[in-house]
């Protein structure tokens, strides 16, 4: 049964081993996306040499993208399976709300002075809350056979509604001070934000899982040809359950990280996180048609809109230009993916 599985897992990059390194590099989707990011950094550094290329600015840029990066790692797995998850932003809010309410309940209604024991319980509860929504999505998609778009559109509204019900439509505002200072704004090694360290660890684990393990190979196989993967002996239903559960776990963790950084659940600030995660993943070269993608590409895709926003703010360009620019890059990324797919199919 192993031979068919190997065939299914082949991607357009599978034949790169026979090509020179230079051609392999230029032909890689990630290479061109990385060039776009480098070009943006150079342009804004030239336009604002005293404000953009500073240590403080890059620290802030990394912190602001950390939560979205954690969400986008999970989204990468989902989209590679040819699925979608519109609920991650609402699940993030729900997880942060449940974690915050738990810490408040354990602290007599005000968690400001809570210690690490209470914080760890809040973290566990937040991750479990995200896991539950991931399991619901996975069951409805993989077992019940409902299209991912419909399922996650429904759970997006349900998770957000449940979040509002938990606190009568208001944000949780009493977050442990030590959590905000040490995780939200704390640094290690003098310059590296702790929030960023966690996001880096999650990203590295995600890259290892996707690119070096059987779990990752099955993810690519299902996205390339789900029926072929099933005939090759892969448990497609069980694997899709795991992928959506993983996305829920990461959304739960992202909700807690957001709580630590913003010192509040900031419900209105996360309503478009699902679209931002999808856009970052697609801009990073992950195909909406499934079977193609990388965590490195997703990292680059997360930073492109972040650099645009930061650069536009520093250079005094109105914010709506950022929306236009990100939209143009996103459309270009999808067009390039379709063009590459047509070329491969015509061979």
């Amino acid at each position: 049964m192993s031979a068919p599985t190997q065939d299914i897992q082949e991607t357009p990059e599978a034949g790169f081993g026979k090509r020179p390194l230079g051609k392999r590099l230029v032909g890689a989707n990630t290479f061109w996306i990385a060039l776009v990011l480098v070009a943006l950094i150079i342009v804004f550094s030239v336009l604002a040499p005293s404000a953009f290329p500073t240590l403080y600015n890059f620290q802030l840029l990394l912190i602001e993208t950390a939560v979205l990066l954690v969400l986008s790692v999970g989204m990468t797995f989902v989209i590679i399976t040819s699925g979608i998850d519109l609920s991650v932003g609402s699940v993030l809010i729900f997880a942060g709300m449940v974690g915050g309410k738990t810490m408040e309940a354990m602290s007599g209604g005000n968690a400001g002075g809570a210690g690490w024991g209470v914080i760890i319980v809040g973290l566990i509860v937040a991750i479990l809350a995200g896991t539950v929504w991931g399991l619901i999505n996975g069951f409805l998609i993989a077992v019940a056979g409902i299209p991912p778009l419909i399922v996650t559109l429904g759970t997006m509204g349900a998770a957000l509604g449940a979040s509002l019900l938990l606190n009568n439509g208001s944000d949780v505002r009493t977050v442990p001070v030590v959590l905000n200072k040490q995780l939200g704004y704390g640094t290690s090694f003098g310059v590296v934000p702790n929030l960023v360290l966690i996001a880096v660890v999650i990203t590295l684990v995600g890259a290892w899982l996707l690119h070096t393990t059987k779990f990752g190979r099955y993810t690519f196989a299902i996205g390339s040809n789900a029926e072929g993967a099933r005939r090759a002996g892969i448990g497609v239903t069980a694997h899709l359950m795991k992928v959506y559960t993983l996305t829920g776990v990461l959304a739960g963790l992202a909700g807690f990280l957001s709580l630590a950084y913003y010192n509040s659940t900031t419900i209105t600030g996360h309503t478009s996180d699902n679209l931002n995660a999808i856009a970052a993943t697609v801009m990073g070269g992950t195909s909406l048609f499934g079977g193609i993608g990388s965590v490195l590409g997703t990292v680059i895709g997360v930073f492109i809109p972040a650099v645009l926003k930061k650069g536009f703010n520093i250079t005094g360009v109105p914010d709506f230009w950022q929306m236009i620019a990100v939209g143009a890059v996103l459309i270009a990324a999808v067009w390039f993916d379709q063009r590459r797919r047509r070329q491969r199919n015509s061979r």
Side-chain angles (χ1 to χ4, degrees):
M1 299 297 287
S2 59
T5 304
Q6 184 178 2
D7 292 340
I8 294 168
Q9 291 165 359
E10 287 186 359
T11 65
E13 291 81 2
F16 279 7
K18 301 178 182 179
R19 298 167 60 188
L21 178 60
K23 290 186 177 180
R24 289 167 56 191
L25 184 63
V26 173
N29 214 15
T30 308
F31 174 78
W32 296 103
I33 300 162
L35 279 185
V36 172
L37 178 60
V38 171
L40 288 174
I41 293 174
I42 292 173
V43 167
F44 287 124
S45 296
V46 171
L47 292 176
S50 61
F52 188 82
T54 64
L55 176 61
Y56 173 76
N57 189 46
F58 282 120
Q59 282 180 324
L60 197 58
L61 186 67
L62 290 171
I63 292 174
E64 290 173 348
T65 56
V67 173
L68 180 59
L69 181 56
V70 173
L71 276 185
S72 300
V73 169
M75 189 65 72
T76 303
F77 283 85
V78 168
I79 294 181
I80 287 176
T81 65
S82 193
I84 201 76
D85 191 345
L86 296 175
S87 69
V88 290
S90 296
V91 172
L92 180 155
I93 295 170
F94 180 82
M97 182 68 73
V98 171
K101 293 289 287 184
T102 299
M103 291 188 290
E104 281 187 345
M106 295 178 66
S107 307
N110 189 332
W116 283 106
V118 172
I119 292 172
I120 290 173
V121 173
L123 170 63
I124 294 172
V125 170
I127 292 176
L128 287 175
T131 303
V132 169
W133 284 107
L135 283 169
I136 292 172
N137 285 336
F139 177 82
L140 293 175
I141 292 166
V143 179
I146 305 173
L149 179 67
I150 302 302
V151 169
T152 58
L153 184 63
T155 53
M156 176 182 72
L160 181 59
S163 304
L164 297 172
L165 284 172
L166 282 173
N167 206 41
N168 296 320
S170 301
D171 284 302
V172 168
R173 301 187 183 278
T174 59
V175 177
V177 174
V178 65
L179 175 64
N180 180 248
K181 286 186 176 180
Q182 294 191 23
L183 178 58
Y185 286 92
T187 60
S188 295
F189 312 110
V191 294
V192 184
N194 292 330
L195 204 67
V196 174
L197 282 178
I198 293 176
V200 168
V201 170
I202 295 299
T203 302
L204 291 175
V205 172
W208 168 79
L209 190 62
L210 181 62
H211 300 293
T212 67
T213 69
K214 183 170 66 174
F215 185 90
R217 291 193 297 272
Y218 285 4
T219 301
F220 281 110
I222 292 169
S224 297
N225 188 336
E227 183 57 33
R230 185 175 286 108
R231 293 182 180 182
I234 296 175
V236 174
T237 299
H239 190 80
L240 286 176
M241 284 279 294
K242 293 174 185 177
V243 167
Y244 281 94
T245 301
L246 172 64
T247 306
V249 169
L250 293 179
L253 175 61
F256 193 80
L257 296 179
S258 174
L259 194 66
Y261 177 62
Y262 291 106
N263 209 31
S264 169
T265 47
T266 55
I267 295 173
T268 57
H270 293 292
T271 53
S272 63
D273 279 4
N274 55 346
L275 300 180
N276 292 336
I278 293 169
T281 304
V282 173
M283 278 191 285
T286 298
S287 174
L288 283 170
F289 301 98
I292 298 173
S294 71
V295 173
L296 175 59
T298 296
V299 173
I300 298 171
V302 166
F303 278 102
I304 286 176
V307 168
L308 279 170
K309 180 179 180 181
K310 185 67 65 177
F312 283 164
N313 288 341
I314 290 175
T315 55
V317 177
D319 287 344
F320 57 78
W321 281 108
Q322 181 223 347
M323 300 171 64
I324 295 173
V326 171
V329 173
L330 179 60
I331 292 171
V334 175
W335 173 83
F336 183 81
D337 176 48
Q338 289 181 320
R339 181 172 176 268
R340 180 179 58 176
R341 182 172 291 271
R342 284 195 296 267
Q343 288 177 341
R344 184 183 65 175
N345 292 338
S346 64
R347 292 173 185 171

